[in-house]
């Protein structure tokens, strides 16, 4: 590769989960430290970071077509870095197949992006997909992000090895960031304007650490500590695994006002044979009992989940068990997917792969139930009063959008600003949002 002009502007394109969004922000902060600025809307960047996702469907093919499409107005290619889970899984192949890529960097190695960039400028292509045991976080710059909502990665990786999932291979083993580092980062985020922080982890509720007195702490204890941060008004966390729930976290939902009444708890299937084949290590019944414990301490908690239809061998009757589970839970929102074989995972070579049409039909039926419950949830909110954290302008002048405590989008008209916490009455439910009426004028 020829030496390249040092980039002046960058763009990070993040795909997939919220952890990638967080990693993308942090890569941006690293590049900013080197004096590279984010490209403006519509402007072509000198350096493009494709922060990829490998969880479902032809992810790698998409990366190659994105690489092919990237062009500056003069027809030349920007400098390209491929990051994220496809980089981790297929780094060497990317280097071979896509000569225009200068850097391939895995999710545990991106703190070394600045060094890789120096090499790339000299014309040396660089790959780094190491998974060091020590966290990359120590070498990242301090947070400077200005926004009322922020992500904070507390835990990474997964030891669960669900048989369909590529995450344990791309993100590696579970690691928890130290308690004090997280408290410190939360203060920094609040100083920079955050009023709501979402704690992130592939298995966020597996977070384990020691508090400042050296006592063992889990996510519940960490949340109680973060709730002491002045100016931090809302705490959320995602994504959890049913088997890592402990009493302290459930209890926090009943006692910590800043912890929002919302729980994303994937179940994937409502059938015990399928759950076993997925290596989920819980049953439909144990999952339902767990939700009851959350509802007991926080009756208005909004529930969300993930579902996979068409796992290898799933019969029609087994699929219907998932529909029955949905009927019992009444989710406020949920995410559902057709099973997608991931190379290298046990399920990819299991007998009984389900034809595409059957998966399509099951997904449509499942989503119809989920949509029904989402609409019902939104309708049941009408008449309630709640706080809304203003996140952005709406489509019409004077219109604002924010989130309710239950994570539903709420729009309303007011003389407000981004970052205001306002009190609204919810007046009209739509399928994906609720219209609100301002009760109190915005307090700056
Ligand atoms: N096929 C379909 N969906 C998957 N998920 C993870 N792996 C696969 C796969 N191979 C879904 C699960 C998980 C969510 C993040 O993505 O529902 O909870
Ligand atoms: Fe994947 Fe299962 Fe780990 Fe979630 S718990 S990241 S689905 S292996």
């Amino acid at each position: 590769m020829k030496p390249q002009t040092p980039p002046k502007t960058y763009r990070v394109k993040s795909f997939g989960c919220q952890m990638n969004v967080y990693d993308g922000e942090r890569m941006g902060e690293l590049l900013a430290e080197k004096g590279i600025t984010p490209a403006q809307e519509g402007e072509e960047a000198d350096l493009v970071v494709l922060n990829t996702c490998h969880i479902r469907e032809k992810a790698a093919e998409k990366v190659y077509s994105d690489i092919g499409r990237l062009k500056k107005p003069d027809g030349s290619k920007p400098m390209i870095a491929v990051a994220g889970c496809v980089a981790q899984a297929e780094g060497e192949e990317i280097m071979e197949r896509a000569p225009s890529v200068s850097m391939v960097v895995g999710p545990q190695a991106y703190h070394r992006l600045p060094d890789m960039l120096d090499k790339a400028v000299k014309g040396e292509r660089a790959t780094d997909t190491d998974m060091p045991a020590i966290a990359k976080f120590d070498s990242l710059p301090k947070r400077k992000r200005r926004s009322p909502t922020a992500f904070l990665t507390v835990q990474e990786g997964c030891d669960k090895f669900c048989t369909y999932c590529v995450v344990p291979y791309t993100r590696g083993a579970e690691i928890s960031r130290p308690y004090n580092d997280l408290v410190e980062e939360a203060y920094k985020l609040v100083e920079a304007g955050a009023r709501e922080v979402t704690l992130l982890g592939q298995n966020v509720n597996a977070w384990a650490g020691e508090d400042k007195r050296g006592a063992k702490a889990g996510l519940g204890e960490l949340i109680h500590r973060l709730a002491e941060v002045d100016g931090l008004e809302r705490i959320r966390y995602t994504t959890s695994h049913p088997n890592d729930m402990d009493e302290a976290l459930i209890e926090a939902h009943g006692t910590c006002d800043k912890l929002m009444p919302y729980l994303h708890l994937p179940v994937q299937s409502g059938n015990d044979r399928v759950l076993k084949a997925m290596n989920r290590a819980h049953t439909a019944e144990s999952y339902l009992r767990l939700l009851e414990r959350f509802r007991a301490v926080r009756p208005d908690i909004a529930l969300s989940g993930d579902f996979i239809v068409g796992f290898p061998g799933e019969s029609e009757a087994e699929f219907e068990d998932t529909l029955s589970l949905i009927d019992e839970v009444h989710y406020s929102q949920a995410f559902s997917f057709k099973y997608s074989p991931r190379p290298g995972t046990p399920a990819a070579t299991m007998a009984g792969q389900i034809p595409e049409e059957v998966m399509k039909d099951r997904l449509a039926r499942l989503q119809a139930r989920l949509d029904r419950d989402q609409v019902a949830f939104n309708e049941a909110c009408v008449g309630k009063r709640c706080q809304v954290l203003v996140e952005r302008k709406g489509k019409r002048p004077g219109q604002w959008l924010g989130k309710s405590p239950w994570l539903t989008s709420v729009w309303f008209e007011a003389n407000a600003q981004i970052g205001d916490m306002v009190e609204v009455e919810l007046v009209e439910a739509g399928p994906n949002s609720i219209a609100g009426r301002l009760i109190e004028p915005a307090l700056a």
Side-chain angles (χ1 to χ4, degrees):
M1 188 169 245
K2 284 191 294 199
Q4 305 184 62
T5 326
K8 292 200 188 68
T9 59
Y10 73 85
R11 183 183 315 286
V12 180
K13 291 185 164 187
S14 287
F15 302 90
C17 67
Q18 289 154 323
M19 304 217 35
N20 258 11
V21 176
Y22 176 91
D23 290 344
E25 280 172 11
R26 308 248 40 197
M27 284 190 267
E29 289 166 354
L30 279 167
L31 296 171
E33 291 250 305
K34 285 193 81 86
I36 310 173
T37 54
Q40 299 297 312
E41 248 344 284
E43 185 195 10
E44 296 298 325
D46 300 330
L47 165 65
V48 176
V49 181
L50 296 173
N51 191 17
T52 59
C53 170
H54 204 216
I55 196 115
R56 288 175 293 273
E57 296 303 337
K58 310 182 185 81
E61 288 317 310
K62 185 169 165 10
V63 175
Y64 292 112
S65 78
D66 283 350
I67 294 169
R69 269 206 307 268
L70 286 174
K71 266 195 193 73
K72 307 227 274 184
D74 64 3
S76 68
K77 284 224 165 280
M79 191 185 272
I80 302 171
V82 180
C85 291
V86 179
Q88 188 67 39
E90 304 191 12
E92 277 172 28
E93 238 178 291
I94 296 173
M95 277 299 188
E96 270 169 37
R97 268 183 66 181
S100 58
V101 171
S102 303
M103 293 164 270
V104 165
V105 60
Q108 301 304 347
Y110 66 76
H111 54 295
R112 293 199 282 257
L113 194 60
D115 295 341
M116 298 173 76
L117 184 62
D118 292 340
K119 284 196 186 148
V121 168
K122 288 189 214 141
E124 291 168 37
R125 304 173 82 202
T127 303
D128 194 339
T129 49
D130 279 359
M131 289 202 189
I134 53 144
K136 63 192 165 243
F137 296 96
D138 292 342
S139 19
L140 293 174
K142 295 269 178 275
R143 305 305 311 266
K144 292 194 198 80
R145 198 174 174 277
R146 297 219 147 265
S147 162
T149 60
F151 291 132
L152 172 51
T153 293
V154 304
Q155 178 279 342
E156 282 195 286
C158 182
D159 298 339
K160 303 290 183 292
F161 290 92
C162 300
T163 53
Y164 51 81
C165 186
V166 81
V167 166
Y169 310 95
T170 57
R171 291 271 173 170
E174 289 175 4
I175 54 156
S176 295
R177 291 182 64 195
Y179 184 94
N180 289 336
D181 293 9
L182 296 171
V183 174
E184 193 187 322
E185 192 168 326
Y187 275 101
K188 288 276 173 320
L189 287 168
V190 170
E191 257 170 49
R195 302 183 81 176
E196 172 178 308
V197 167
T198 301
L199 310 179
L200 295 180
Q202 258 93 31
N203 269 301
V204 70
N205 60 335
W207 182 84
E210 285 181 359
D211 68 14
K212 55 178 185 292
R213 285 184 216 91
K216 280 208 180 321
L219 193 66
E221 286 86 7
L222 178 67
I223 287 171
H224 278 298
R225 172 65 189 93
L226 296 179
E228 291 169 12
V229 176
D230 276 343
L232 177 58
E233 285 160 67
R234 291 177 154 191
I235 302 171
R236 304 181 185 275
Y237 61 93
T238 198
T239 288
S240 299
H241 190 287
N243 294 2
D244 287 321
M245 280 301 173
D246 68 2
E247 191 52 44
L249 183 54
I250 299 173
E251 175 267 346
H253 276 276
T255 55
C256 178
D257 291 344
K258 292 186 179 178
L259 181 58
M260 292 294 102
Y262 178 89
L263 173 67
H264 179 68
L265 193 62
V267 63
Q268 316 296 357
S269 165
N271 174 270
D272 289 347
R273 192 202 63 80
V274 174
L275 286 169
K276 191 147 197 257
M278 287 177 164
N279 192 31
R280 288 290 296 178
H282 62 77
T283 62
E285 188 60 24
S286 68
Y287 174 83
L288 291 169
R289 295 292 81 84
L290 186 57
L291 293 185
E292 271 176 17
R293 289 167 65 196
F294 279 90
R295 281 190 161 141
V297 296
R298 186 75 210 223
D300 72 333
I301 196 163
L303 299 169
S304 162
D306 289 348
F307 297 89
I308 296 176
V309 301
F311 184 80
E314 184 190 66
S315 69
E316 171 61 24
E318 288 168 342
F319 165 69
E320 286 172 12
D321 285 344
T322 306
L323 297 180
S324 308
L325 180 137
I326 290 171
D327 288 348
E328 277 201 47
V329 174
H330 296 297
Y331 292 92
S332 70
Q333 54 164 278
F335 304 90
S336 48
F337 314 100
K338 289 183 287 192
Y339 168 70
S340 161
R342 305 285 73 212
T345 59
T349 49
M350 281 180 187
Q353 300 283 326
I354 306 290
E356 176 65 24
E357 314 81 76
V358 176
M359 287 206 275
K360 242 172 118 173
D361 169 69
R362 287 183 188 167
L363 187 66
R365 286 155 64 202
L366 183 113
Q367 288 183 339
R369 300 266 174 130
L370 293 170
D371 289 350
R372 173 202 69 188
D373 287 347
Q374 184 170 322
V375 169
F377 180 88
N378 291 352
E379 282 172 353
C381 286
V382 171
K384 285 190 188 173
R385 287 177 171 207
C386 69
Q387 302 264 304
V388 171
L389 178 59
V390 183
E391 290 180 20
R392 58 188 170 91
K393 283 188 174 158
K395 286 198 195 94
R396 277 185 270 136
Q399 211 179 59
W400 295 91
L401 269 168
K403 295 270 166 36
S404 75
W406 309 282
L407 204 64
T408 36
S409 289
V410 177
W411 62 270
F412 58 95
E413 281 170 17
N415 183 10
Q417 297 185 44
I418 291 173
D420 284 346
M421 189 76 80
V422 298
E423 173 111 10
V424 301
E425 181 180 339
L426 301 173
V427 289
E428 199 186 328
N432 298 309
S433 65
I434 306 180
R437 192 167 49 76
L438 189 73
I439 295 175
E440 274 177 13
L443 297 173

